[in-house]
Amino acid sequence: DAKTTQPNSMESNEEEPVHLPCNHSTISGTDYIHWYRQLPSQGPEYVIHGLTSNVNNRMASLAIAEDRKSSTLILHRATLRDAAVYYCILRDEGGGADGLTFGKGTHLIIQP
Amino acid sequence: NAGVTQTPKFRILKIGQSMTLQCAQDMNHNYMYWYRQDPGMGLKLIYYSVGAGITDKGEVPNGYNVSRSTTEDFPLRLELAAPSQTSVYFCASSYQGPNYGYTFGSGTRLTVV
């Protein structure tokens, strides 16, 4: 699976939108973009995933660049509970049964 | 639904001891995974299973064994514990792979002294 690059950490204020970037310049046409987050002392939890089109769900929005070399996870109104490590992961559609590869992610700090 | 349940939550082992980390899911998921996470690092895949009776190695399988006799349970066995196995262990399940989303357990924090 292709590699992703995320900032080590980001800081934002409560009740403001947060844009978490992810670069994946070597993405292939069949790579899905997955986002997970890990709250302190918990296991990761699924946030969102997409292939080409922007995606929305109750937790977040995923904006995918037209050339697919980058994507942005958008939290529309951050709360203190959104403080977590956010992982951007690429996974080929036909990549087999083995698991997702989690890097170090972005540590999101929310200031009250 | 309980989701993915891991037991125990914490454990201290002495070097050379053995133990089994338990993982159970009640979502009728076919795929199950074991990961470990060292401090400040991402997760590394130890073993995975696509159904009862089928298991396969991940990135870091040495020192571990698994079995999958039922759809619900996927225990991880540590034989001859070593300090390098000090880590947080997460079990996850999925209906049928990444595009169905993974559900993770809350983890087992293991210290080997």
Side-chain angles (χ1 to χ4, degrees):
Chain A
D1 296 311
K3 183 179 168 61
T4 63
T5 303
Q6 299 178 254
N8 289 332
S9 65
M10 288 183 62
E11 212 169 295
S12 185
N13 296 319
E14 197 177 10
E15 299 186 6
E16 291 184 356
V18 179
H19 291 235
L20 292 157
C22 182
N23 288 320
H24 28 78
S25 58
T26 59
I27 191 170
S28 76
T30 52
D31 280 336
Y32 277 78
I33 303 160
H34 299 260
W35 283 85
Y36 281 74
R37 72 179 186 180
Q38 187 173 20
L39 303 172
S41 301
Q42 294 189 27
E45 66 173 336
Y46 169 81
V47 177
I48 202 166
H49 78 284
L51 183 63
T52 56
S53 304
N54 294 344
V55 185
N56 301 296
N57 66 20
R58 63 174 181 80
M59 288 181 70
S61 295
L62 175 59
I64 301 172
E66 199 169 328
D67 64 5
R68 299 187 72 237
K69 293 184 185 298
S70 66
S71 60
T72 303
L73 180 71
I74 302 166
L75 307 179
H76 295 285
R77 193 167 170 269
T79 69
L80 295 177
R81 194 192 173 277
D82 292 319
V85 178
Y86 286 78
Y87 300 97
C88 170
I89 304 164
L90 299 186
R91 178 66 182 192
D92 188 281
E93 184 180 25
D98 56 332
L100 295 171
T101 300
F102 290 76
K104 291 188 179 181
T106 296
H107 184 202
L108 177 64
I109 299 164
I110 304 294
Q111 298 289 356
Chain B
N1 286 346
V4 177
T5 302
Q6 291 186 239
T7 56
K9 292 194 183 305
F10 304 93
R11 183 73 186 268
I12 298 175
L13 275 183
K14 293 185 178 178
I15 295 171
Q17 286 185 322
S18 300
M19 76 165 292
T20 299
L21 281 66
Q22 301 292 344
C23 175
Q25 54 92 6
D26 62 357
M27 298 171 285
N28 204 30
H29 283 174
N30 295 309
Y31 289 25
M32 295 188 75
Y33 308 86
W34 273 107
Y35 286 89
R36 60 174 286 174
Q37 184 175 34
D38 298 330
M41 305 296 287
L43 283 73
K44 294 187 177 179
L45 183 66
I46 306 171
Y47 271 96
Y48 65 98
S49 168
V50 299
I54 305 168
T55 63
D56 212 339
K57 295 178 180 179
E59 182 185 355
V60 290
N62 291 344
Y64 307 95
N65 277 299
V66 293
S67 59
R68 183 101 182 265
S69 56
T70 67
T71 299
E72 295 77 20
D73 299 297
F74 190 40
L76 177 72
R77 178 84 178 160
L78 277 72
E79 304 281 2
L80 298 175
S84 60
Q85 293 178 305
T86 294
S87 190
V88 181
Y89 292 83
F90 291 103
C91 179
S93 73
S94 174
Y95 173 63
Q96 202 164 339
N99 284 348
Y100 291 84
Y102 288 10
T103 300
F104 280 82
S106 57
T108 294
R109 185 174 296 274
L110 175 68
T111 302
V112 181
V113 296

